[in-house]
Amino acid sequence: MPSQRHYSPADRLLMQADAALRTLLPFSGQPARPSPAIVKDEAELNDSETRHVAGLMRINHTGEVCAQALYQGQALTARLPQVRQAMERAADEEIDHLAWCEQRIRQLGSHTSVLNPLFYGLSFGIGASAGLISDRISLGFVAATEDQVCKHLDEHLGQLPANDEKSRAILLQMREDEAQHSTAALEAGGLRFPAPVKFGMSLVSKVMTKATYRI
Ligand SMILES: [Fe+2]
Ligand SMILES: [Fe+2]
């Protein structure tokens, strides 16, 4: 087992800045797994279908930007080292999703959301605050967020044109990974959030999806 490294506050600040730039700069996140879309054929989509799928993938990409920020914020304030490491590992896994969504958006001739820096900042703050309250709340927040993401992915899978196998392959793999992240967070001791809190979170995510579908 490698010994655990100790980082100074300056080191941590630089690592945070590096993580933020890797999330927000185009094509800077290197996926560990190739995109599931690679092995699928490109579909013939008309203009309105292309715009719609690009809008959906832009929402999913921003969701992944938020996931990065949330995990990085939580890792910053997590109390237990194993929780911090779990958050950092989860953020690494989410880089795959971020990169796959971005690749697909570019293939569709579109762009990622201009609102990403804003959502990154907000999510980082929420993650860091949750981590400050307690690791249990922080892990519970991961579980509730991932459940929310799964709901979005289900809706998007239902809205994709039947022949868009590339986008479908990406969303299906993400759906599987996110469900696993939710289960892992609960198994690690995460609090099960009550329904009203989840409802509040779904309202916030509606604002995000409405805004990023177009810009
Ligand atoms: Fe993800
Ligand atoms: Fe996830």
Side-chain angles (χ1 to χ4, degrees):
M1 281 270 289
S3 64
Q4 212 192 307
R5 285 205 194 159
H6 291 280
Y7 296 108
S8 70
D11 287 338
R12 289 216 164 266
L13 194 68
L14 281 175
M15 285 156 68
Q16 288 300 336
D18 176 62
L21 286 176
R22 272 190 292 129
T23 306
L24 293 170
L25 292 178
F27 294 116
S28 47
Q30 283 302 317
R33 296 171 290 173
S35 170
I38 284 178
V39 293
K40 303 291 181 186
D41 291 330
E42 186 60 89
E44 296 242 346
L45 302 174
N46 64 34
D47 283 356
S48 82
E49 286 173 330
T50 304
R51 263 198 310 276
H52 183 52
V53 177
L56 296 181
M57 295 310 281
R58 186 159 40 246
I59 292 171
N60 292 318
H61 179 265
T62 300
E64 295 301 328
V65 167
C66 293
Q68 283 296 316
L70 200 63
Y71 282 127
Q72 286 157 13
Q74 287 171 311
L76 187 70
T77 53
R79 285 177 177 75
L80 294 172
Q82 61 267 37
V83 171
R84 168 175 296 162
Q85 283 157 11
M87 295 298 177
E88 286 170 348
R89 213 170 29 243
D92 283 347
E93 286 174 19
E94 302 282 7
I95 286 179
D96 288 354
H97 301 170
L98 190 75
W100 300 344
C101 288
E102 183 177 358
Q103 283 166 6
R104 187 64 187 135
I105 292 169
R106 304 287 172 189
Q107 281 168 358
L108 294 163
S110 195
H111 59 88
T112 56
S113 176
V114 295
L115 300 172
N116 283 344
L118 173 73
F119 284 112
Y120 184 94
L122 285 174
S123 303
F124 189 90
I126 292 171
S129 309
L132 276 180
I133 300 170
S134 79
D135 284 341
R136 237 184 126 219
I137 294 270
S138 193
L139 287 165
F141 200 77
V142 169
T145 307
E146 297 287 11
D147 289 348
Q148 187 69 50
V149 174
C150 285
K151 272 190 200 151
H152 274 276
L153 290 171
D154 287 340
E155 281 172 28
H156 291 184
L157 280 162
Q159 289 185 37
L160 285 180
N163 57 347
D164 186 358
E165 289 190 31
K166 277 190 179 290
S167 304
R168 188 171 309 279
I170 294 171
L171 297 192
L172 282 172
Q173 186 59 55
M174 282 170 61
R175 174 75 173 75
E176 197 180 314
D177 293 348
E178 313 299 17
Q180 221 168 8
H181 294 158
S182 171
T183 309
L186 290 176
E187 281 174 354
L191 188 77
R192 276 180 204 275
F193 281 14
V197 177
K198 284 189 157 186
F199 179 69
M201 287 171 70
S202 74
L203 290 183
V204 174
S205 82
K206 274 213 171 69
V207 174
M208 185 276 267
T209 54
K210 279 253 180 307
T212 55
Y213 178 73
R214 284 179 202 288
I215 55 169

